[in-house]
Amino acid sequence: MADRKHVVIVGGGFGGISVAKKLKGADVDITLIDRNNHHLFQPLLYQVATAALSPGDIATPIRAILGQRKGLQVLLGTVTGINRDQRFVELKKGQKISFDYLVLAPGAKYNYFGNDDWPNHAPGLKSIGDALQVRERILLSLEEAEQLKDPKLREPYLTYVVIGGGPTGVEMAGAIAEIAKRNMMRDYSTFSRNETRIFLVEAAPRILNGYPESLAEKARNTLEKMGVRVLLNTPVTDIGENKVTFSEGTIQTPNIIWAAGVAASPLLSALNTEQDRSGRVVVTDDLSLSDDDHIFVIGDAAHKEDSDGNPLPALAPVAMQQGDFVGKLIKRELKGKERKTFSFTDKGTMATVGRAKAVADIRGFKFSGLFAWLLWSIVHIFFLIGFRNRFRVFVEWMWHYLTFNRGVRLITDRQSNEEELIGGQEEKH
Ligand SMILES: Cc1cc2nc3c(=O)[nH]c(=O)nc-3n(C[C@H](O)[C@H](O)[C@H](O)COP(=O)(O)OP(=O)(O)OC[C@H]3O[C@@H](n4cnc5c(N)ncnc54)[C@H](O)[C@@H]3O)c2cc1C
């Protein structure tokens, strides 16, 4: 009898989880390794950052998702090396795990284009830690503004700069505008909601690149009606402590959020194979490496072109469909069946701009406003999460969203944050 094959999956995001699920019932051992013990629903991270949801609402332990299965092991660890010749991956602690099939789904990270200092001043939104950092800055800023009676001195604390006009930047700017216009601001007595300034800064001539022009324009108009100033053709030239600089000038604020470029996981360079400009690995039609058909790369880490030659976007449905595909491919191959080629079924793109406001392009049909927002809600909550607790999350999220009640407004770790904001204590009541 042949040896049982071992499939190693790196990453418990949308891609990695889909592979593991699809392999259920296959005659293989599976090891899924992730540096976190949870799967993160990144599309709703901005709602944690803006105090609408708590971390537990959008993160689920990987073990809970996959459950107990014969031959399946989930490991908490960071993969730091890949030895293709000797067929093993290496963890940070030195442990070596051998594989017959390797599926890499380590996702992406924010790209600060070589400006190593910028992440300290302008966190991106990629992890629970990032979202909590942004949330804490926003809440601490409001507390600081409450203590300053000179409007000029409190201006930086009521200013928000979101860099990057993609879906994340648009969602983030819209959510901050909701906060500024409604609920949270009512709790403060010193300043008025009209003092809030929100900037969405984009280097390109338009926001929502990749969406139809008409929808991008609708989203921009909606944002502007909500009080967001959309600065197009405005590349950021520098980010420092509590300030962001463009060719036109500098904005002072501790609330700078990075939602610009992404780069694939640095782990991929260990493969020593072809990568695109963003570091994504160029894969073949069956998502394996051109020189190693037992190593697959999927999701945000992979460069795979559609039939028109355009790279597939870094979106959850792409990662999930690729994960399903590879899981099925391995299952079939173990039974001696031939490989098929991957093709992506585009079910549409959408982005929310604010409460009851969104834009959507579903197979060429364009929607905006309430209907698009309802579609966005259904797809995000029911289709993307797809886990047992989705109903609970849905109810909680709708409650916070519809009642304007930003429930999660705790500032923790106050001691260490106290020193960090701009030294604006000069003028107090
Ligand atoms: C703020 C934000 C909003 C988004 N909104 C949307 C949206 O509305 N709709 C949409 O479709 N997509 C959205 N996306 C994109 C979507 O989340 C990604 O396309 C999707 O998560 C990619 O799945 P993946 O499996 O490739 O990677 P991920 O889901 O990022 O998973 C990668 C996993 O690998 C683990 N990992 C990484 N490196 C290592 C290592 N060295 N060792 C061990 N583990 C490792 C990570 O911990 C992580 O769990 C958004 C992304 C962000 C950041």
Side-chain angles (χ1 to χ4, degrees):
M1 207 177 109
D3 283 345
R4 230 169 119 88
K5 301 280 187 211
H6 186 199
V7 181
V8 171
I9 303 166
V10 179
F14 287 103
I17 292 283
S18 301
V19 180
K21 280 183 163 178
K22 211 67 194 179
L23 281 172
K24 193 171 183 181
D27 189 22
V28 279
D29 290 321
I30 304 163
T31 303
L32 187 148
I33 310 163
D34 200 297
R35 61 186 172 199
N36 295 313
N37 78 336
H38 56 264
H39 166 82
L40 180 61
F41 190 72
Q42 294 175 25
L44 289 179
L45 260 180
Y46 80 97
Q47 293 219 352
V48 173
T50 53
L53 291 179
S54 23
D57 292 336
I58 63 162
T60 316
I62 293 171
R63 288 176 203 285
I65 296 166
L66 296 176
Q68 283 189 350
R69 257 161 57 184
K70 190 171 164 272
L72 170 75
Q73 188 180 33
V74 176
L75 288 184
L76 176 66
T78 302
V79 177
T80 50
I82 302 163
N83 189 319
R84 286 177 54 177
D85 296 333
Q86 293 174 41
R87 314 306 271 174
F88 66 79
V89 297
E90 188 162 6
L91 303 195
K92 201 171 179 179
K93 287 183 180 163
Q95 193 181 352
K96 293 181 174 133
I97 298 168
S98 57
F99 63 82
D100 296 298
Y101 287 97
L102 175 63
V103 187
L104 293 166
K109 64 181 185 65
Y110 275 106
N111 185 0
Y112 288 84
F113 308 109
N115 298 289
D116 296 342
D117 198 30
W118 290 10
N120 300 326
H121 311 301
L125 272 185
K126 201 70 193 136
S127 65
I128 294 280
D130 295 336
L132 291 178
Q133 193 187 353
V134 171
R135 186 181 85 180
E136 200 119 305
R137 278 185 189 212
I138 292 175
L139 295 174
L140 279 170
S141 265
L142 293 171
E143 294 303 329
E144 207 65 36
E146 178 75 348
Q147 295 180 44
L148 295 164
K149 62 177 187 229
D150 179 347
K152 218 55 228 142
L153 283 179
R154 63 176 181 251
E155 187 181 77
Y157 298 106
L158 297 172
T159 300
Y160 305 85
V161 179
V162 180
I163 304 165
T168 302
V170 166
E171 287 171 355
M172 192 70 204
I176 295 172
E178 292 289 349
I179 296 174
K181 293 279 168 284
R182 299 181 197 268
N183 52 332
M184 234 147 86
M185 294 297 177
R186 284 199 296 258
D187 297 350
Y188 298 88
S189 57
T190 309
F191 53 86
S192 97
R193 60 183 73 173
N194 297 333
E195 289 180 51
T196 312
R197 302 185 308 158
I198 306 151
F199 297 91
L200 177 64
V201 184
E202 169 57 53
R206 53 167 289 191
I207 58 166
L208 293 179
N209 203 4
Y211 287 64
E213 180 98 42
S214 59
L215 286 183
E217 200 46 31
K218 277 212 168 82
R220 187 168 74 89
N221 287 336
T222 309
L223 282 171
E224 285 182 342
K225 275 190 201 136
M226 292 164 74
V228 177
R229 286 186 233 175
V230 181
L231 308 180
L232 301 175
N233 300 304
T234 309
V236 168
T237 52
D238 193 27
I239 303 175
E241 191 158 357
N242 304 318
K243 63 174 192 226
V244 50
T245 306
F246 328 96
S247 50
E248 291 81 12
T250 295
I251 297 176
Q252 301 275 348
T253 175
N255 300 305
I256 310 167
I257 298 138
W258 184 261
V262 288
S265 161
L267 173 67
L268 301 167
S269 55
L271 286 173
N272 220 354
T273 190
E274 189 185 350
Q275 291 173 269
D276 69 10
R277 273 193 343 184
S278 312
R280 294 184 299 177
V281 170
V282 178
V283 291
T284 63
D285 282 346
D286 63 18
L287 309 179
S288 64
L289 303 188
S290 56
D291 54 355
D292 194 330
D293 67 2
H294 276 47
I295 299 182
F296 299 86
V297 184
I298 59 171
D300 284 6
H303 175 111
K304 171 81 182 77
E305 288 171 4
D306 64 16
S307 49
D308 297 327
N310 301 314
L312 291 174
L315 288 174
V318 175
M320 291 164 93
Q321 287 184 32
Q322 291 184 335
D324 282 351
F325 173 85
V326 170
K328 209 165 161 187
L329 179 150
I330 295 173
K331 218 171 175 176
R332 282 169 51 87
E333 192 154 273
L334 293 169
K335 291 180 184 158
K337 294 186 181 165
E338 285 201 353
R339 292 186 174 196
K340 294 185 173 170
T341 60
F342 173 77
S343 73
F344 174 61
T345 309
D346 186 359
K347 292 178 183 155
T349 35
M350 45 185 80
T352 175
V353 187
R355 181 181 166 273
K357 301 179 192 82
V359 291
D361 176 18
I362 313 292
R363 299 183 183 213
F365 293 100
K366 298 177 184 61
F367 308 99
S368 59
L370 177 65
F371 182 66
W373 181 74
L374 287 172
L375 272 180
W376 177 89
S377 309
I378 291 166
V379 168
H380 279 72
I381 300 300
F382 283 99
F383 287 88
L384 285 183
I385 290 184
F387 306 133
R388 246 178 314 172
N389 64 355
R390 65 191 175 190
F391 183 69
R392 185 184 65 83
V393 172
F394 176 70
V395 171
E396 259 183 56
W397 176 66
M398 291 300 278
W399 174 253
H400 291 314
Y401 213 52
L402 293 175
T403 59
F404 299 101
N405 178 19
R406 307 243 152 205
V408 198
R409 285 189 258 163
L410 301 181
I411 301 175
T412 53
D413 204 10
R414 174 94 183 94
Q415 202 69 32
S416 58
N417 278 313
E418 205 146 21
E419 317 300 323
E420 282 173 16
L421 289 168
I422 308 177
Q425 309 274 337
E426 297 93 331
E427 198 185 346
K428 303 262 160 93
H429 285 298

